[in-house]
Amino acid sequence: MTVEPAVKSFPRPSELPVPPGAEGWEKLYPYNLVFQNLSGSDDEKFWFCDSQHWPTVFKPFETIGGEFAVKCLGQYNTRHLLIPPANGIEFKIHLGYLYMSPVPVPEEQIPARVPEFERRVGHYFQNWDSLLEQWKLKVRATIDELEALTFTSLPEMVPFDDIVSGKAKDGSEVLMENYDRLIQLVYQNWQYHFEFLNLGYLAYLDFFTFAKQVFPGIPDQAIAKMVQGVDMELFRPDDELKKLATLAVELGLQSAFENTDDVEGTLARVGDLSGGRQWLDAYRAAQDPWFNFTVGNGFYGHDKYWIEHQEIPLGYIKDYIRRVDEGQQILRPIAELVAERDRIVAEYRSLLDGENLAAFDVKHGLAVTAYPYVENHNFYIEHWTMGVFWRKVRELSRVFVAAGFWAGEGDLLYLTRGEVREALFDLVTGWAVGAEPTGPSYWPAEIERRRGIIDALSSRRPQPALNTPPAQITEPFTMMLWGITTEQVQQWLGDDSGDDTAITGMSASPGVAEGRARVVHHADQLSEVREGEILVATITAPSWGPIFGKIKATVTDIGGMMSHAAIVCREYGLPAVTGTGNGSTTIRTGQLIRVDGDAGRVEILED
């Protein structure tokens, strides 16, 4: 009798123990975001943890980013573009982390979607430039409206002019209307976010698939190199810092940047030097809009934005000044990237003729046109829109702090957005009738209870996946963006060669580098990165650009060929291995490692 080998599986959600102190965590989140059917499909379906976008535990209010992003991603696949093989992505929160499960289109429905998909996608690709210009206007208008929202404490009495005018309002309606509008506007920009994003992936994926068909055995990286070296707005914030550093050296202002943690003092010292006013004018000009940039990814209320924490960009400028003084090249090697891109394109193009050559040119041209949006949208949505959003959330929270509802502006994040609406009505009702609201006696203790649960959940790293994976993972976005492939899932399950000195992942950016590891779990640790080290992280953020000129290579736990880490490393000419699953927990800071971006392999050479 033949015995079938046991199918390896990740733990089921129901099997994962709750960290001590986190009991009752499910009640912190909306009912629809947690597993409700652990005796049925939720405990059977394959889920993977999206630590690429949400690497830390959600506070209740922060689920808004996951809800809006994944909902809007799905609706463009499912309802707008009708992508033939792929609907959206189902998502749940388990033990504080976000898990995803791609929703396939039933085989029998795929043919009927094809002509409608081609018609809709064709409209966008045929009118790409004009539609993208309209997109920028829509997004900017939404950001401007977000900026205009205000949240202020209510007055002791309605102004007499309002009595005379017959206004019949008192400002409480403005607080509630502005809160509702705040939520609606950020949702609106998430709608816009995905209008073009999936098209950017589709254009690249179409070119990728065609190249695989006509060039059997072509490396994934060769295809990726054919679209590298393009101009991306996402790099503008970092480029602005480099220009400011270069200008500071030209004007001889280096001495003013001795202590950049003292923002006011640094800017004052610059202004006192000859040429300082010229530099300050350039510095202020760069802030709008390029300082609407976070060292995180924009999905968390604790993310720090340059415009509010100017010690961050000033610190980067200080380091760039040092490197310029040392004669280092701080600019991205765009000319080299373009030359390599053109060489590879010409090499493969020369192997084709007739219809295949014509198709190659069309598909490559479309991929190059659409590819920049894959990164550029980050600046407008995750950075700029979400930066304004979190600033307004803190502004609203200060109204509650003044009314005694809680102690700090960050405490609002421990409420769901529905609870914030209820607390607002509690606040304005107490003010209206001249009585004490309930909030000050209810929320402080409740927030502390919830803070303890969040801290307990944060003490444990998430499982990379849940339940039994499919025999083959074929969903293209899952593979290209997250690096969730059949091979990587098997590695996460421990199905490898047994070599405990090597970690394998995706060959995301070519080259080989050796150096000491610097493990970074949070953006606040970026200041610890030293020249010549190899960055090892759960995932990198696009805003980490200023450190890419210091490091030799990058290793991440999650991410595919189209992940931020892969794209940024290719644009900076750095080797990268992504999607390792456990690189950041296996490798320790200080270990000597070798990163082989061609083979997708990381070796631990010595402790």
Side-chain angles (χ1 to χ4, degrees), residues 77 81-87 104-106 109-111 113-115 117-118:
N77 276 14
L81 300 176
L82 278 73
I83 294 176
N87 278 325
V105 175
Q109 295 179 15
I110 292 176
R113 292 171 69 133
V114 172
F117 164 75
E118 291 176 344

Side-chain angles (χ1 to χ4, degrees), residues 332-596:
R332 282 188 300 127
I334 297 176
E336 291 89 338
L337 292 169
V338 170
E340 177 69 357
R341 177 191 72 197
D342 293 346
R343 182 191 67 78
I344 294 174
V345 168
E347 177 184 319
Y348 281 99
R349 193 174 179 276
S350 68
L351 303 175
L352 301 174
D353 55 24
E355 291 183 1
N356 280 343
L357 178 58
F360 176 90
D361 288 343
V362 169
K363 293 176 184 295
H364 177 255
L366 191 58
V368 170
T369 297
Y371 176 72
Y373 183 86
V374 170
E375 287 295 280
N376 286 346
H377 76 277
N378 275 278
F379 177 73
Y380 289 95
I381 309 299
E382 282 91 331
H383 292 268
W384 198 352
T385 298
M386 295 306 291
V388 177
F389 172 71
W390 292 122
R391 192 158 64 244
K392 294 300 176 180
V393 167
R394 290 191 291 274
E395 187 179 313
L396 171 61
S397 186
R398 289 194 290 271
V399 173
F400 283 107
V401 170
F405 273 58
W406 44 75
E409 63 181 32
D411 289 350
L412 180 148
L413 301 177
Y414 290 92
L415 283 67
T416 66
R417 65 177 181 275
E419 289 174 330
V420 172
R421 190 62 164 77
E422 293 174 358
L424 262 177
F425 202 81
D426 177 21
L427 172 69
V428 301
T429 299
W431 172 85
V433 303
E436 286 295 317
T438 304
S441 61
Y442 174 78
W443 281 115
E446 177 61 15
I447 287 170
E448 286 309 306
R449 185 186 75 84
R450 297 182 183 192
R451 194 191 314 275
I453 292 175
I454 296 296
D455 289 346
L457 291 174
S458 301
S459 69
R460 185 171 297 170
R461 294 275 294 159
Q463 281 287 331
L466 302 171
N467 298 328
T468 304
Q472 292 292 324
I473 294 173
T474 59
E475 202 284 316
F477 293 117
T478 303
M479 295 187 291
M480 298 296 291
L481 179 57
W482 286 284
I484 309 294
T485 65
T486 303
E487 294 75 21
Q488 286 310 108
V489 166
Q490 291 307 311
Q491 182 203 313
W492 293 350
L493 286 169
D495 186 14
D496 55 26
S497 64
D499 183 358
D500 59 5
T501 64
I503 301 166
T504 59
M506 182 162 285
S507 305
S509 185
V512 178
E514 288 186 13
R516 297 289 173 181
R518 173 66 62 175
V519 180
V520 171
H521 291 296
H522 304 286
D524 288 344
Q525 297 175 290
L526 290 177
S527 61
E528 300 170 8
V529 178
R530 298 292 175 261
E531 193 91 29
E533 292 183 326
I534 292 176
L535 176 67
V536 181
T538 303
I539 190 65
T540 67
S543 52
W544 293 11
I547 69 165
F548 280 88
K550 300 170 65 173
I551 61 176
K552 286 184 174 181
T554 300
V555 179
T556 66
D557 292 350
I558 195 167
M561 288 295 292
M562 295 295 281
S563 66
H564 304 312
I567 292 172
V568 172
C569 283
R570 289 196 295 269
E571 292 296 324
Y572 278 86
L574 297 174
V577 176
T578 60
T580 62
N582 59 358
S584 71
T585 53
T586 303
I587 299 168
R588 299 191 307 275
T589 291
Q591 286 183 315
L592 182 65
I593 64 175
R594 176 186 294 120
V595 177
D596 187 338

Side-chain angles (χ1 to χ4, degrees), residues 172-476:
S172 60
E173 79 289 345
V174 175
L175 270 178
M176 293 188 288
E177 288 172 2
N178 282 3
Y179 176 67
D180 292 341
R181 189 62 181 154
L182 176 69
I183 301 299
Q184 181 57 33
L185 286 170
V186 76
Y187 173 64
Q188 181 170 295
N189 259 6
W190 277 105
Q191 291 270 77
Y192 296 152
H193 172 290
F194 285 101
E195 181 183 5
F196 282 83
L197 182 60
N198 290 5
L199 295 167
Y201 287 132
L202 282 169
Y204 180 79
L205 185 61
D206 183 49
F207 175 62
F208 179 91
T209 303
F210 176 79
K212 286 289 188 180
Q213 290 172 349
V214 296
F215 306 119
I218 184 175
D220 292 357
Q221 284 191 12
I223 303 173
K225 286 181 179 180
M226 291 192 219
V227 297
Q228 71 184 14
V230 294
D231 184 29
M232 289 188 183
E233 288 176 288
L234 189 66
F235 293 125
R236 275 293 298 277
D238 187 28
D239 289 344
E240 291 295 320
L241 300 188
K242 292 172 180 175
K243 285 163 55 178
L244 288 166
T246 302
L247 180 61
V249 172
E250 291 173 355
L251 296 172
L253 305 175
Q254 294 95 318
S255 63
F257 293 86
E258 204 58 37
N259 177 20
T260 51
D261 287 337
D262 177 12
V263 174
E264 291 185 6
T266 298
L267 298 179
R269 287 190 294 274
V270 170
D272 289 340
L273 296 173
S274 176
R277 294 298 169 187
Q278 178 186 343
W279 190 90
L280 289 174
D281 287 344
Y283 179 75
R284 295 188 186 101
Q287 291 181 28
D288 186 14
W290 306 114
F291 277 25
N292 292 288
F293 211 47
T294 172
V295 294
N297 59 18
F299 289 116
Y300 295 97
H302 61 255
D303 284 348
K304 293 179 180 178
Y305 286 79
W306 290 5
I307 195 69
E308 298 170 282
H309 297 273
Q310 293 188 28
E311 69 277 6
I312 295 171
L314 285 172
Y316 289 144
I317 291 170
K318 175 184 177 180
D319 192 59
Y320 278 140
I321 288 173
R322 173 190 64 80
R323 287 156 62 183
V324 171
D325 276 338
E326 292 176 357
Q328 294 185 29
Q329 174 57 260
I330 65 172
L331 300 178
R332 282 188 300 127
I334 297 176
E336 291 89 338
L337 292 169
V338 170
E340 177 69 357
R341 177 191 72 197
D342 293 346
R343 182 191 67 78
I344 294 174
V345 168
E347 177 184 319
Y348 281 99
R349 193 174 179 276
S350 68
L351 303 175
L352 301 174
D353 55 24
E355 291 183 1
N356 280 343
L357 178 58
F360 176 90
D361 288 343
V362 169
K363 293 176 184 295
H364 177 255
L366 191 58
V368 170
T369 297
Y371 176 72
Y373 183 86
V374 170
E375 287 295 280
N376 286 346
H377 76 277
N378 275 278
F379 177 73
Y380 289 95
I381 309 299
E382 282 91 331
H383 292 268
W384 198 352
T385 298
M386 295 306 291
V388 177
F389 172 71
W390 292 122
R391 192 158 64 244
K392 294 300 176 180
V393 167
R394 290 191 291 274
E395 187 179 313
L396 171 61
S397 186
R398 289 194 290 271
V399 173
F400 283 107
V401 170
F405 273 58
W406 44 75
E409 63 181 32
D411 289 350
L412 180 148
L413 301 177
Y414 290 92
L415 283 67
T416 66
R417 65 177 181 275
E419 289 174 330
V420 172
R421 190 62 164 77
E422 293 174 358
L424 262 177
F425 202 81
D426 177 21
L427 172 69
V428 301
T429 299
W431 172 85
V433 303
E436 286 295 317
T438 304
S441 61
Y442 174 78
W443 281 115
E446 177 61 15
I447 287 170
E448 286 309 306
R449 185 186 75 84
R450 297 182 183 192
R451 194 191 314 275
I453 292 175
I454 296 296
D455 289 346
L457 291 174
S458 301
S459 69
R460 185 171 297 170
R461 294 275 294 159
Q463 281 287 331
L466 302 171
N467 298 328
T468 304
Q472 292 292 324
I473 294 173
T474 59
E475 202 284 316

